[in-house]
Amino acid sequence: MNIPLVDLKMQYYTIQNEIKLAIDSVLERGRYVLGPETERLEATLSKYTGTTYAIACSSGTDALLLALLAIDLQPGDEVISTPLSFFASSEAVSFLKGKPVFVDIDPETYCMDPAQIEAAITPKTKAILPVHIFGQCAEMDPILEIAKKHNLYVIEDACQAIGATYKNKKSCSMGDLGVISFYPSKNLGGYGDGGMVFTHNEDLFKAARDFRTHGEYPKQFKHKRIGTNSRISEIEASILNVKQKHIDAWNQKRRDLAQNYDRLFSENNLRSHIQIPKTGSNNQHTYHLYLIQTAPKESLQKYLAERGISTGNHFPKPIHHLDCYEGQYAHQSFPIAEGFCEKSVSLPMFPELTFEQQETVVRNIKVFFEKR
Ligand SMILES: Cc1ncc(COP(=O)(O)O)c(C=O)c1O
C-alpha cells in the first residue's frame, strides 16, 4: 500500500460537483479576475478570522510583500523573524532590501521564542514577523507587548495556520497585519496559487489593496503608488468559496489524526526514539503538518520510502543557513532551530488520511527501531 504525504485528489472527489458548478458559473459570468467571487471570499474570510479587512492576492509570498509594502518597509529596515519557516517569510523582507533578523525558536511550539526578541531590537527594527509554523500560533501576547513598547509593527505569517487560535483569537487577527497562503497543499488550498492579507487598520488596508493593482485604486489608469500586479483569479476565488465552508471540519479531522498518531506512538513504546509535536497551552493547533523528531532521520525516511510510505523534510536547513544568505549569518547560531532541522520528519497528514493508514505508518516505524 502506498501512503502519500498529502493527497489532494482525494479531497477534490468529496466536493467535485460543487467545484465544477462554481468554476462553470465563473466561466459563464465572463469576469475572470477580481470580481464578485473575490469580494465574497474577502468578506467571508475577514469575518472568519475576526478581522476588518481582507485583500485577496496571487500568493502567500505576495501577501507578505503587500503587507511589508503597506508598512512602508525601507531598504535597511530590520524585521525580526524566525529561522524555522518556509523561505518566503524572510525572502519577502530581503526582496524589498530589508534585513531579516533571526531569533531562535521555542522548543515546544517551534515558533519564535518571544524571550529573545528584545535583545534583537535595534534602532533599525521596523517590525516583528512571527510565523505560525506547522499550524499553531506563536506566543502572541508577549510579542504584541514588545511591539507596543518599541513601536513596531507585527505581521503574522499564518500561511500554515488558517483557523489556528491563540487564547481563542484566530490567527491573522492579533497583529497589525496577517497573511495566509492558498497554495494547494495548505489547509485551505486552492487549485493554483493565491493568498490573502488581513488587517483591522484602514490605512494599511488601503495601502495593501492599492499595491495589489499597480497603485491604481479606485480608477483604472490613475496610479497613486508604484505597485505590482498581484490579482487573484475568479476561478481560484470560486474554488476557495466552496472549500472555505469545510475548513473547520478539515482542521478538526487533522487534530483527530494528530491525536491518533500521538496515541499510537505511546502505545507502541516509541516515545524514547521519537519526539512528538506539542501544542502550546494557549493554542488550538491545526496540524498543517505533523512532524516528529528523531536522530536516525535519513535512515528512517529511506526505510519508510522503501515500504511505500512518503515522508517530508520540512525544512532541511534553517533559513540563516540557506545558500542565498551565504556568510550573512555566519557568526550566528540558533541551536534549537538547527537541531530541529537535523532531526525532523514530516509524516503523512491530510484530512482524508485513515486511521488504518496511520497504523501502517507507525507499525513500520516500530519495526525500523526494533531492527536497529
Ligand atoms: C510559512 C509560510 N510563509 C509563506 C509561504 C508562501 O506562500 P505561497 O507559497 O503561497 O507563496 C508559505 C508557503 O509555503 C509558508 O509555508
Side-chain angles (χ1 to χ4, degrees):
M1 168 164 55
N2 280 334
I3 305 180
L5 185 61
V6 179
D7 187 334
L8 301 178
K9 248 180 16 181
M10 271 186 79
Q11 185 173 84
Y12 167 64
Y13 291 139
T14 67
I15 49 174
Q16 195 173 16
N17 290 343
E18 262 189 291
I19 293 283
K20 284 184 174 164
L21 283 173
I23 293 175
D24 201 43
S25 77
V26 173
L27 296 177
E28 290 293 331
R29 189 181 295 123
R31 172 116 190 233
Y32 301 127
V33 284
L34 293 192
E37 294 287 346
T38 304
E39 280 167 24
R40 186 149 71 90
L41 185 67
E42 289 171 338
T44 311
L45 291 185
S46 70
K47 190 163 173 226
Y48 178 77
T49 52
T51 56
T52 318
Y53 304 104
I55 305 114
C57 61
S58 58
S59 68
T61 305
D62 264 20
L64 283 162
L65 285 169
L66 295 177
L68 291 164
L69 286 165
I71 66 163
D72 194 28
L73 190 87
Q74 292 295 314
D77 283 349
E78 294 177 2
V79 176
I80 298 174
S81 194
T82 164
L84 187 73
S85 177
F86 177 61
F87 175 46
S89 54
S90 299
E91 181 191 29
V93 175
S94 300
F95 192 75
L96 296 175
K97 306 271 185 280
K99 184 178 176 211
V101 171
F102 298 113
V103 297
D104 210 344
I105 56 166
D106 177 290
E108 302 248 305
T109 62
Y110 313 140
C111 296
M112 82 190 319
D113 179 359
Q116 302 189 27
I117 293 174
E118 279 204 287
I121 294 174
T122 75
K124 290 185 175 168
T125 309
K126 178 114 184 182
I128 306 174
L129 199 159
V131 179
H132 302 326
I133 201 73
F134 308 139
Q136 74 172 318
C137 291
E139 189 62 31
M140 287 304 289
D141 275 359
I143 293 174
L144 295 168
E145 210 172 293
I146 295 164
K148 195 169 174 200
K149 181 169 152 200
H150 296 272
N151 201 20
L152 305 173
Y153 288 104
V154 174
I155 300 173
E156 295 174 63
D157 180 340
C159 286
Q160 298 193 1
I162 183 164
T165 62
Y166 170 82
K167 295 191 175 174
N168 295 320
K169 287 180 223 139
K170 287 253 169 65
S171 65
C172 293
S173 69
M174 297 170 273
D176 298 286
L177 294 138
V179 303
I180 58 169
S181 159
F182 300 126
Y183 182 73
S185 63
K186 294 291 193 267
N187 289 26
L188 178 57
Y191 298 150
D193 277 306
M196 198 170 269
V197 183
F198 299 95
T199 183
H200 295 291
N201 180 306
E202 192 180 354
D203 292 335
L204 295 176
F205 160 67
K206 285 181 177 164
R209 178 198 60 194
D210 294 359
F211 283 123
R212 172 181 67 180
T213 44
H214 308 289
E216 67 181 359
Y217 193 89
K219 278 215 171 106
Q220 215 185 0
F221 306 127
K222 221 169 170 254
H223 303 277
K224 279 188 303 196
R225 308 176 202 253
I226 295 170
T228 182
N229 170 10
S230 183
R231 296 180 294 238
I232 191 169
S233 87
E234 279 284 279
I235 286 182
E236 175 77 336
S238 76
I239 290 162
L240 291 162
N241 278 324
V242 171
K243 293 188 86 182
Q244 63 77 25
K245 291 181 245 162
H246 302 275
I247 186 64
D248 284 339
W250 287 334
N251 279 348
Q252 184 54 48
K253 190 73 204 300
R254 288 171 182 272
R255 276 189 290 276
D256 294 345
L257 291 164
Q259 213 178 26
N260 196 46
Y261 268 138
D262 293 353
R263 180 183 65 78
L264 290 169
F265 286 129
S266 295
E267 285 177 7
N268 285 283
N269 298 320
L270 285 163
R271 298 285 297 274
S272 54
H273 298 294
I274 59 166
Q275 191 178 322
I276 61 170
K278 297 198 179 91
T279 304
S281 56
N282 295 313
N283 285 345
Q284 189 177 44
H285 210 307
T286 56
Y287 289 100
H288 172 55
L289 299 171
Y290 184 97
L291 291 113
I292 55 168
Q293 289 185 71
T294 187
K297 164 177 170 150
E298 279 174 24
S299 48
L300 175 64
Q301 287 194 281
K302 186 165 172 284
Y303 181 87
L304 293 176
E306 283 163 2
R307 281 146 190 87
I309 298 169
S310 300
T311 59
N313 202 355
H314 306 87
F315 302 95
K317 280 183 181 182
I319 293 177
H320 62 290
H321 284 172
L322 294 178
D323 292 351
C324 60
Y325 287 132
E326 198 196 352
Q328 222 173 304
Y329 299 97
H331 60 293
Q332 284 184 299
S333 85
F334 304 101
I336 304 177
E338 288 158 20
F340 180 88
C341 292
E342 277 164 25
K343 290 197 278 181
S344 63
V345 177
S346 183
L347 297 184
M349 172 55 80
F350 50 96
E352 296 73 26
L353 184 71
T354 64
F355 281 10
E356 291 71 34
Q357 287 176 310
Q358 288 187 293
E359 273 163 24
T360 306
V361 173
V362 176
R363 193 171 53 249
N364 278 279
I365 294 176
K366 188 177 167 73
V367 176
F368 168 81
F369 281 107
E370 281 170 354
K371 281 190 182 163
R372 275 169 68 82

